Amino acid sequence: MSEKGFTQKRRLLSAADLTIEDVERILNTASAMKEVSTRDVKKIPPLRGKTIINCFLEPSTRTKTSFEIAGKRLSADVINISATGSSLSKGETIKDMARNLSAMKPDLVVVRSQYSGIPLRISEWIDCAVVNAGDGRHEHPTQSLLDLFTIREKKGPLDNLNISIIGDILNSRVARSNIILMKLLGANITLCGPATLLPVCDISCDNNRPAGLVVDRVTNSLKEAVTGADVVMMLRIQTERLNEKKFPNLREYSKLYGLSPETLKLAAKDPLVLHPGPINRGVEISPEVADGPWCVMLDQVTNGVAVRMAVLYLLLGGGSASNA
Amino acid sequence: MSVKRLLIKGGRVIDPASGVDGIRDVLVEKGIISIIDISIQTEDAKVLSAEGKWVVPGLVDMHVHLREPGYEYKETIETGTKSAAAGGFTSVACMANTNPVNDCAQVTEFIRNMAKSKGAVNVFPIGAITKGLKGEALADIAEMAEAGVVALSDDGKCVMNAAVMRAAIEYAGMFGLAIIEHAEDIDLKQNGVMNEGVVSTRLGLVGAPRISEDTITARDISLAEYTGGHVHFAHVSTAGAVELIRFAKQKGVKVTAEAAPHHFTLTDEAVGEYDTNAKMAPPLRESRDINAIIQGLADGTIDCIATDHAPHGIAEKEVEFDSAAFGIVGLETAVPLSLGLVRDGRLTPLRLVEVMSFNPSKILKINRGTIQPGAVADITIIDPDKEWVVEPSQFKSKGRNTPFAGWKMKGKAVATIVNGNVAYEDN
Ligand SMILES: [Zn+2]
């Protein structure tokens, strides 16, 4: 396996850092890692002696735990650092913080921040590998990889699958990473949401962008988006952002964009419903759908550990999956 | 160095006020231009050779932030005016968003005194429109006018309350002062940190839409028309605002406008990968906005080039893009960036000098902006062909925040003469 791509750059900051070969390699490695998680002793030695710092500048239980478990299953020493707020408000700049982290000589730093672009900045100020665990409204590449893994597991290759992403696209880092990678793998993407939660620029016309925010269709109609969809990806409505007044109230949102079993009947045969969690039950997704056979939320969580194990493993020089 | 007589020999004198564009000698005596002629012979004068160079009325930047009082770690009147001199500016008008705010005569006097003792170029203070820049109560306009402010502005903030703005325009009119508006609707802007568009979508940054500038521009044009007062629009950044101002001028409304070199040079692509040096308010827009601004400068819709010189400390830029301060060091890169418009055939040399010296002097009603016998000897000598590379550590400004670091520039002010004295000379 060649050492080109994201392992050579020693970073996973954006979905755009990944080539098709990188994605294949990560997903294949993740399959092997998933097997580890089914064993009695869920621990293998490849990252013994490696130090991973989970630097979570924005609170997140789910992603932090997932990365922590992933690191520990590979026998790495995982240290959690959390802090909140703008670096300036604490008197220490983000650069100071990055240099301090660097001085502790970690092998890899996982960064989560409420600010777009911070993992990239930190990667410039630090010597080790860096993984973006979600930055502002920008990207969340490992979340996207676990979505791809889950879809591939259930549906096979993404080539020509109809995938609809529904909800708050504007504020969603999950959507951005997924749009980039799903297009890379040949899926047909539909974006759906109220006009106020879609990026204002017409991203469907934007065919020349290297970062590749290219989609096939944008619609305000949930029915239109779900019709014929193989995969329906529901995004979380950030109730804390409601003060931005992008729609009148949750009841109205739920009426227009809440996914119910009836709407789901319009989808292709055996549709998958994905949700990055945590869900607002009865808002973006009805309880029947959330608890129904279509919804693969818990698989996403399980696969999240496997995918993150794969990313950590590959970035820390683990070679190909067969050595796992 | 103070000399009694200064002879500038063999330069291309470009003076829009008199329509002169030709090779002339210029003799300066006691701070005043005494003779302009094809050839002047004199014995006891310091001679500055200007062959192959432009000799233009001292450039006037009607929009700078000198940061003193209150933010001396970013810039002082001393360093800011040295930066101005190095950029070819003989006069600057400084904005009121200092700490304390320049909203009363004491602060105006402080700035003028500091400028007199430490300033390398002429400093003309701009007073606040409202007390504390709060947008509520009018500042002490009459006493500031008496203390010497040349215009009023809450720059950095938009006057959001239209009734307050109306009152300001009417009241300032009594003192012949223009109101300079930072047109940016804060409700529409929300917490936007760059232009709202494809790039902000890709980067996941909150965008400030063009309409945040356009709607306030439209509002203020209505207010100016209704009151008969003078509104000047700072740092125009959108094609929509240019169109509105053009229409207002056609109708005879008393509005003027300025554009900053970064707004006609860079698009929002300059933000690249979260480069905080490309974070400004209003933000860098798109190529159609650039074209509209340049067209506006060419056809008279936009009256001036002003830099919006906004130096910051490094700690205010080496942070999250969302938290970074707005603005760039403007004074030392304005001449080459603006000369680019001449090289591209968009502006004539005369028009360039008009927008960088004559027009801002007229708007501020300061007695500058021309090279003629009897005029104050504020003169800038520009080498339009000099090539150099922008090296922020060499800035005279305390600020290092520029998106032009490493850029190869063509054209530079090589001598800046203020009141007959050489304030800056390029070695
Ligand atoms: Zn401003």
Side-chain angles (χ1 to χ4, degrees), chain A residues 42-110:
Chain A
K42 300 177 181 58
K43 197 155 181 152
I44 52 171
L47 300 189
R48 191 152 54 201
K50 303 281 186 188
T51 306
I52 296 173
I53 298 183
N54 260 346
C55 178
F56 276 59
L57 305 172
E58 177 193 56
S60 145
T61 312
R62 191 174 297 239
T63 304
K64 189 171 78 182
T65 308
S66 183
F67 269 103
E68 188 172 351
I69 292 173
K72 287 182 169 164
R73 288 201 175 151
L74 294 167
S75 302
D77 297 312
V78 182
I79 288 95
N80 290 312
I81 292 180
S82 48
T84 50
S86 141
S87 54
L88 268 189
S89 68
K90 295 182 297 167
E92 187 187 43
T93 68
I94 194 78
K95 190 173 184 178
D96 294 333
M97 197 214 66
R99 285 170 157 175
N100 273 301
L101 285 183
S102 194
M104 296 176 208
K105 309 291 179 203
D107 298 288
L108 187 145
V109 176
V110 178

Side-chain angles (χ1 to χ4, degrees), chain B residues 63 155-156 182 235 281 308:
Chain B
H63 189 146
D155 184 63
H182 175 121
H235 40 54
D308 192 7

